[in-house]
Amino acid sequence: MKDQIKNHWNGRALGYDKNVRHVIYFRRDKTIWQRIFAEFLGKSPLKILDVGTGPGIVANLIAEMGHDVTGIDVSERMLKKAAENSATLHNTLDFVQGDAENLPFDDESFDAVVNRYVLWSLPDPKKALAEWHRVLTPGGRLVIVDGIWYIGSKDKPWTKRLWELLSMILAERRWHGYQSSDDGWRGKLWSSNVERPETDAEILRGLGFEEILVVANLNKKLRTTLDYLKYGHCGNQFLVTGVK
Ligand SMILES: C[S@@+](CC[C@H](N)C(=O)[O-])C[C@H]1O[C@@H](n2cnc3c(N)ncnc32)[C@H](O)[C@@H]1O
């Protein structure tokens, strides 16, 4: 399944980057996301790992907040985009190719671990979270941002399909089709079969994280009405955080 997932992300690198890049280039989106991360990361410079960095969107946002950031991703094509985005923004970050479930870093080597839209597509979330816990310094913070993305295409109501069609026109990029395609592995993922973010918080508790906090509806903080029409059908977003 891991190879299928890696191929999926390699194939999506170009389109994905186009669709999320506005977050690092447009002031409004940038400010909203930086505010969200600042709430949990504070203002002092930290050594931060961005897991599943993709085209480096979050990595660049937090680097510009003064943090020393390393991004890791399994997809070489995503990492190529990440390097291009950082160069354009004149940010200096480290990007490493590797697996979120087997990190190539020493124990206690980061003050914080962040990740956005990554955990849902990892085959073994407990293993991944244990790894992220391992590389955190004691007192270090984990911030997970993710969403309820997968809805089995068979069960999808016609209203949702109509919304997807509308969003294709509004978003001006024909990328949403992939959201509804079930190419085998998506339906088998843990995230398609459990309640989230409750399960995330439960795993964090099991690993010994403290001060666990769940923000169950991030969409409210993120979206204008137009954004909601464009992207709201993709699913509700949430944040889960805890301290080692
Ligand atoms: C939806 S993208 C999110 C990218 C970025 N975090 C963002 O917020 O825009 C998911 C990313 O997770 C990466 N990924 C998936 N499985 C991974 C794994 N096992 N190890 C490292 N990265 C992985 C994918 O290659 C992809 O870049």
Side-chain angles (χ1 to χ4, degrees):
M1 177 146 85
K2 266 207 170 144
D3 283 345
Q4 272 178 300
I5 297 174
K6 180 178 168 182
N7 291 340
H8 169 82
W9 290 118
N10 262 329
R12 292 224 43 233
L14 201 68
Y16 183 83
D17 179 47
K18 269 193 193 155
N19 278 285
V20 293
R21 241 189 323 189
H22 53 87
V23 172
I24 41 177
Y25 290 116
F26 289 166
R27 172 58 41 204
R28 179 194 162 271
D29 285 347
K30 195 171 189 162
T31 307
I32 290 173
W33 278 105
Q34 285 183 329
R35 214 176 278 149
I36 288 170
F37 282 105
E39 194 175 330
F40 302 102
L41 299 174
K43 290 197 173 142
S44 316
L46 300 174
K47 193 163 179 252
I48 301 182
L49 177 66
D50 178 31
V51 186
T53 193
I57 305 298
V58 168
N60 274 287
L61 283 178
I62 57 180
E64 289 180 13
M65 290 159 64
H67 301 295
D68 170 9
V69 184
T70 300
I72 185 165
D73 204 287
V74 74
S75 155
E76 55 276 9
R77 290 202 193 160
M78 286 283 189
L79 288 170
K80 188 166 174 278
K81 287 285 151 206
E84 287 170 11
N85 283 330
S86 310
T88 310
L89 291 161
H90 307 290
N91 293 330
T92 309
L93 292 87
D94 283 331
F95 290 109
V96 176
Q97 187 174 15
D99 183 2
E101 295 176 358
N102 288 294
L103 295 174
F105 305 112
D106 291 339
D107 296 358
E108 303 184 4
S109 42
F110 294 94
D111 304 313
V113 172
V114 301
N115 54 97
R116 192 183 74 153
Y117 312 155
V118 175
L119 195 55
W120 71 273
S121 85
L122 299 180
D124 191 342
K126 284 188 189 156
K127 191 166 178 217
L129 286 162
E131 269 295 89
W132 306 353
H133 183 272
R134 177 183 70 76
V135 300
L136 272 175
T137 50
R141 183 176 283 278
L142 170 68
V143 181
I144 301 166
V145 174
D146 211 349
I148 319 281
W149 308 127
Y150 179 81
I151 297 178
S153 40
K154 278 183 249 125
D155 309 328
K156 200 176 288 186
W158 68 268
T159 42
K160 182 111 179 162
R161 287 173 198 270
L162 194 64
W163 190 0
E164 280 182 3
L165 279 174
L166 175 72
S167 83
M168 278 192 203
I169 299 160
L170 289 172
E172 292 158 8
R173 293 186 188 105
R174 295 168 188 278
W175 69 291
H176 295 313
Y178 95 96
Q179 295 281 358
S180 52
S181 74
D182 184 346
D183 34 11
W185 55 272
R186 294 170 68 96
K188 289 185 206 135
L189 287 171
W190 71 285
S191 52
S192 303
N193 301 301
V194 299
E195 291 295 320
R196 300 189 72 198
E198 294 80 356
T199 305
D200 305 58
E202 206 176 292
I203 301 175
L204 258 56
R205 259 190 296 279
L207 289 168
F209 278 96
E210 293 172 357
E211 299 175 39
I212 296 165
L213 183 86
V214 174
V215 181
N217 191 347
L218 256 197
N219 283 14
K220 278 194 187 148
K221 292 194 186 215
L222 294 173
R223 302 209 189 282
T224 60
T225 308
L226 184 60
D227 278 351
Y228 186 68
L229 283 172
K230 284 182 186 175
Y231 305 114
H233 69 88
C234 294
N236 190 30
Q237 296 186 54
F238 58 83
L239 182 149
V240 184
T241 182
V243 171
K244 178 170 172 180

